[in-house]
Amino acid sequence: ENLRIPWELALSAKWEEPVLIVVSQNSHTGASNTRAWSISNPGQVPDAVRERITASQVFDQVREISGIGKVRFLARRIGSTITWATIADFEISPSSQTHIDFELTALRDSLGI
């Protein structure tokens, strides 16, 4: 399978020889996806992938929102722009989205990003 994952959607990468595991965010649903590739001659590929993902991330933290659940807040650099993503470990309702948005606004204000 020839799959391209834009760097700005990559969340993490892990190398467990001979398998490269990449977790990315689905651009349509916001949910996370895990993909794995077996690489027989990896060379510097695992290090390069991990470095590239790390370099694009400005902020990455999981926070517990009281009464709602855990949400990952992630700021990524795309060129000169910083974009924010929220990834919940639960199905998001309109009410929980309001709480997530409030937490994101407070976080952005406190960090100045």
Side-chain angles (χ1 to χ4, degrees):
E1 174 181 340
N2 185 9
L3 176 69
R4 300 184 114 196
I5 300 172
W7 292 116
E8 63 269 16
L9 296 179
L11 301 172
S12 65
K14 185 176 182 180
W15 175 242
E16 294 179 355
E17 193 169 346
V19 178
L20 176 64
I21 301 164
V22 176
V23 179
S24 64
Q25 184 177 17
N26 183 297
S27 62
H28 300 291
T29 66
S32 61
N33 299 316
T34 301
R35 303 263 198 243
W37 295 269
S38 180
I39 305 173
S40 57
N41 296 312
Q44 297 299 311
V45 170
D47 291 335
V49 169
R50 190 161 197 253
E51 287 173 17
R52 178 65 189 231
I53 292 170
T54 302
S56 69
Q57 294 179 349
V58 176
F59 181 85
D60 185 359
Q61 186 179 81
V62 175
R63 291 185 164 206
E64 179 77 32
I65 300 178
S66 181
I68 302 295
K70 291 183 180 178
V71 178
R72 183 176 182 183
F73 293 87
L74 180 62
R76 294 177 275 210
R77 184 178 317 280
I78 303 171
S80 61
T81 305
I82 305 275
T83 62
W84 283 86
T86 56
I87 303 159
D89 65 352
F90 53 88
E91 190 169 330
I92 298 174
S93 68
S95 173
S96 60
Q97 185 64 57
T98 299
H99 289 284
I100 292 168
D101 292 345
F102 179 80
E103 185 73 18
L104 177 59
T105 299
L107 181 60
R108 291 178 69 174
D109 289 347
S110 71
L111 295 172
I113 299 175

